[in-house]
Amino acid sequence: NRYRLHCTGSNLQGEQVGPNRHPPPRGGALPIATRGADRYFELKSQIHRKLIGVLNLERASSIPKDRIRAEIGRVVERLLDEERVPMTTAEQTKIVEEVLDEVLGLGPLETLLKEPSISDILVNRYNKVFIERNGKLSETAVRFKDDAHLLHIIEKIVSQVGRRIDEAQPIVDARLQDGSRVNAIIPPLALDGPCLSIRRFGRHVITQDEMVAYKTLTPGILRFLSACVQCKVTVLISGGTGSGKTTMLNALSRFIPEEERIITIEDTAELQLQQRHVIKFETRPPNLNKEGGINQRILLRTALRMRPDRIIVGECRGAEALDMLQAMNTGVEGSMSTVHANTPRDAFSRLETMVMMADLEIPTRVILQQLASAIKLVVQVSRLQDGTRKVLSVSEVLGVKDEKVDLQEIFTFERIGVTDAGKVQGRFRATGITPRLLERLRISGVTVPPAIFEEVVPVNL
C-alpha cells in the first residue's frame, strides 16, 4: 500500500492512493510476544512498520524537522491507541520517542549521541553496548532488537555518506553529521554479529586554557609548543588509540597564523581547524570492482599543486609517509601529522616501515636522513589508567646517529603512583636541556622564557 502525507494545521493523516483505496487497518491488537523485553521490542517494531506504511518519506524529508517530529508523534500516538495495549503515559511517551528515533535518527543510539560527555560508543553485539565517559568504559542498558535491527542502523549510517556495507564489503569507515568517526564490521568477518564503534568529536574544540586546567600539559610546555607551531616547526604527534592525538592536533592548530593556507588530508574527516583558509580532503575507498579509490598519496600530490603553506595529515598509516616527507622537505614546513606509536623512537620506526611500503627500494640510511630532516619535534601523548590524557614527552630531533634518529627529551611526565581515589600521581618535569630550536624561534622573532626549561609541576601529589 502507498500513502500520501498530508500536513494540515497540526494534524497528520495517511490516505491510501491507488485502485484499492481503503483506510488504514484499525482496531484489534496485533499478536505480540508475551514476555517483557520481547513484547516491548515487538510492539515498537509493529508501530514502526505501520508508520512507514502510512508515511510518504520523500514528502516528509522536505518538511522542517521540528514540525515533522511533532506530526509523526501524533500519528504514533494514534497507532498506539489502535493496538489497544494498556500503557502508562510515561510508557507511551517513551515508545513515541523511540519510534521517532528509529524514523528520524539512529534508533537506540540517539539517547547516547545526545550525551556530550560520552566520547566513545561501542556496540559489541546487538545486546551489548558500552560507552566511554571520562576515559572509563561502562556497559549501558541500551539494546537493539536483534542483529537485523543493528545492521539496519549501520546501513543507515553508511548510506548517508555514500558508502555501502554488505558481504562483499563487510568493513566500512564513515562519519556522522557531527563529524563523529564510525567504523563497522559485519559477518562473515564479525563472528558474533554486526559490530559498531563511534568515536565522538564534540563541536567544541578544546582550548589551551582547558588543556592546562585538565593537566594535559603545563603552561610552560604549551608556551613552547605554541611558539614552535607559529614558527613552522614540523610536529609529529605520537600515541596509542584513544590517547588524544587528534584532540592535541586540533588544539595546536589554533596557533597557526590566520593568513596561512592550510590543506588537511584524512581517511575520515575528524579535524576541526578554526582558521578561515582551510581546504579539506578526504580519501575514498574503491568500489566493488576495485576502481575509483583515492588514497592519501594521491591527495598529497594534489595538495602540493594547490600552493599550501601547511599540510596536515590526520593520520599517517601507509606508503603516503614517503610523499609526506618529500612535501615537508620541499618547502611545506610547519606541517603536522599523527602516528600510532608507544614512544617517540617507536614513531620513527613505524614511519620508516611505512616509507618502505612504497616499494622504491630506498636505502635505510636515506630514509632516516629524510625523517630527521623533515620532523623537528615529537609530542608523545597517552591515556593513563585513570582515564586522563597527558603529554608524556616532548622530544627534539637532532639528526641521525649510529643509524638511528637521534632524539633529546625536553619535557617529560614522571608517574609516581596512584591516589586512594584512583588518580595517577606524578609530575611534569623539564629535563634541563635547552633545545636547539630556540635559535630558530629567536630568528623568527618569537621568544620563550628560559625558566620553562627548568619547571617542575606536580600532579595529584
Side-chain angles (χ1 to χ4, degrees):
N1 293 334
R2 294 179 293 122
Y3 289 83
R4 276 201 304 265
L5 178 67
H6 295 282
C7 288
T8 57
S10 61
N11 296 319
L12 178 71
Q13 298 176 341
E15 177 187 324
Q16 186 179 9
V17 295
N20 300 320
R21 177 189 297 267
H22 58 79
R26 302 181 63 89
L30 298 176
I32 58 176
T34 56
R35 297 180 62 183
D38 292 338
R39 178 179 182 275
Y40 180 78
F41 272 120
E42 186 62 28
L43 175 62
K44 191 172 72 172
S45 297
Q46 292 187 45
I47 294 295
H48 185 202
R49 285 195 296 269
K50 292 184 73 173
L51 182 61
I52 295 299
V54 169
L55 293 180
N56 180 332
L57 293 180
E58 291 184 3
R59 175 80 180 273
S61 63
S62 64
I63 300 174
K65 190 171 182 180
D66 291 342
R67 183 180 173 191
I68 192 64
R69 189 175 184 89
E71 301 290 354
I72 290 177
R74 293 186 180 92
V75 174
V76 172
E77 290 174 359
R78 178 170 60 82
L79 293 174
L80 274 173
D81 290 340
E82 292 176 2
E83 298 301 326
R84 295 180 180 174
V85 177
M87 300 181 101
T88 65
T89 303
E91 289 172 336
Q92 182 166 321
T93 301
K94 180 181 178 184
I95 201 168
V96 167
E97 284 297 318
E98 292 186 0
V99 172
L100 284 171
D101 288 340
E102 290 287 343
V103 176
L104 302 176
L106 300 179
L109 296 178
E110 282 296 316
T111 56
L112 302 179
L113 291 170
K114 291 173 184 174
E115 291 234 12
S117 61
I118 296 175
S119 56
D120 281 276
I121 301 172
L122 308 170
V123 184
N124 295 354
R125 293 190 63 191
Y126 75 90
N127 58 354
K128 286 188 180 296
V129 181
F130 290 79
I131 61 169
E132 179 187 296
R133 184 186 276 119
N134 298 324
K136 296 289 188 179
L137 286 175
S138 60
E139 188 172 1
T140 71
V142 172
R143 297 290 183 268
F144 295 83
K145 180 184 176 185
D146 49 29
D147 285 340
H149 185 197
L150 174 55
L151 181 59
H152 169 72
I153 297 299
I154 293 174
E155 290 173 340
K156 194 171 184 179
I157 292 172
V158 301
S159 65
Q160 291 173 352
V161 291
R163 300 189 181 182
R164 58 180 295 178
I165 186 167
D166 49 36
E167 288 190 4
Q169 190 173 339
I171 302 176
V172 70
D173 282 314
R175 69 177 183 275
L176 302 180
Q177 292 181 349
D178 65 358
S180 299
R181 185 176 66 193
V182 178
N183 181 271
I185 180 170
I186 66 173
L189 301 187
L191 300 182
D192 294 329
C195 183
L196 174 71
S197 66
I198 300 176
R199 171 67 57 83
R200 303 286 308 283
F201 292 99
R203 296 180 181 179
H204 171 68
V205 179
I206 190 169
T207 65
Q208 51 264 40
D209 292 336
E210 289 171 327
M211 294 178 69
V212 173
Y214 297 152
K215 298 182 179 178
T216 301
L217 40 59
T218 66
I221 296 175
L222 182 62
R223 179 73 179 271
F224 177 66
L225 292 178
S226 65
C228 289
V229 172
Q230 290 176 49
C231 298
K232 287 196 168 185
V233 174
T234 302
V235 178
L236 179 68
I237 300 173
S238 169
T241 301
S243 59
K245 299 186 297 297
T246 302
T247 300
M248 178 62 67
L249 186 56
N250 274 323
L252 293 183
S253 70
R254 285 178 174 271
F255 301 111
I256 298 176
E258 188 68 28
E259 66 273 8
E260 293 189 13
R261 177 178 172 87
I262 308 166
I263 298 180
T264 67
I265 299 172
E266 302 175 83
D267 280 333
T268 302
E270 301 170 3
L271 295 174
Q272 297 172 298
L273 272 64
Q274 304 301 301
Q275 287 77 5
R276 57 185 176 86
H277 203 165
V278 178
I279 299 93
K280 299 179 180 181
F281 291 166
E282 185 179 51
T283 62
R284 185 179 70 186
N287 59 24
L288 293 178
N289 297 322
K290 308 295 183 182
E291 299 173 346
I294 304 295
N295 58 29
Q296 287 190 353
R297 295 196 69 181
I298 297 173
L299 294 180
L300 265 166
R301 294 169 186 170
T302 302
L304 288 172
R305 300 187 182 105
M306 299 184 71
R307 196 221 166 269
D309 288 311
R310 304 193 193 219
I311 295 177
I312 297 180
V313 180
E315 182 179 338
C316 197
R317 64 181 73 185
E320 69 274 2
L322 176 62
D323 300 273
M324 185 181 71
L325 288 178
Q326 291 176 334
M328 292 175 178
N329 280 320
T330 52
V332 189
E333 293 183 303
S335 299
M336 293 188 283
S337 184
T338 70
V339 65
H340 277 84
N342 294 325
T343 66
R345 195 164 298 282
D346 288 345
F348 281 100
S349 297
R350 284 212 66 210
L351 286 174
E352 181 183 350
T353 303
M354 293 175 195
V355 172
M356 291 179 178
M357 292 179 184
D359 293 330
L360 296 181
E361 298 184 0
I362 304 174
T364 300
R365 176 178 52 83
V366 175
I367 295 175
L368 292 176
Q369 289 175 345
Q370 290 278 318
L371 289 170
S373 176
I375 299 169
K376 298 302 180 184
L377 204 66
V378 182
V379 179
Q380 183 72 35
V381 295
S382 179
R383 180 178 59 185
L384 305 185
Q385 66 194 67
D386 60 357
T388 59
R389 273 89 170 175
K390 293 200 181 332
V391 173
L392 294 189
S393 172
V394 177
S395 301
E396 182 183 20
V397 181
L398 302 179
V400 178
K401 183 178 181 181
D402 298 329
E403 297 186 354
K404 292 182 179 180
V405 174
D406 190 19
L407 300 169
Q408 68 174 7
E409 196 170 48
I410 309 301
F411 300 98
T412 185
F413 178 75
E414 297 176 340
R415 280 174 280 189
I416 298 173
V418 180
T419 66
D420 294 338
K423 295 293 184 180
V424 171
Q425 294 177 305
R427 59 178 182 171
F428 289 102
R429 181 178 63 83
T431 60
I433 298 174
T434 301
R436 298 180 184 179
L437 286 171
L438 283 186
E439 180 63 17
R440 176 171 176 172
L441 302 185
R442 185 190 65 78
I443 294 173
S444 300
V446 178
T447 58
V448 178
I452 69 173
F453 302 110
E454 299 176 0
E455 71 174 4
V456 177
V457 179
V459 176
N460 298 322
L461 291 179

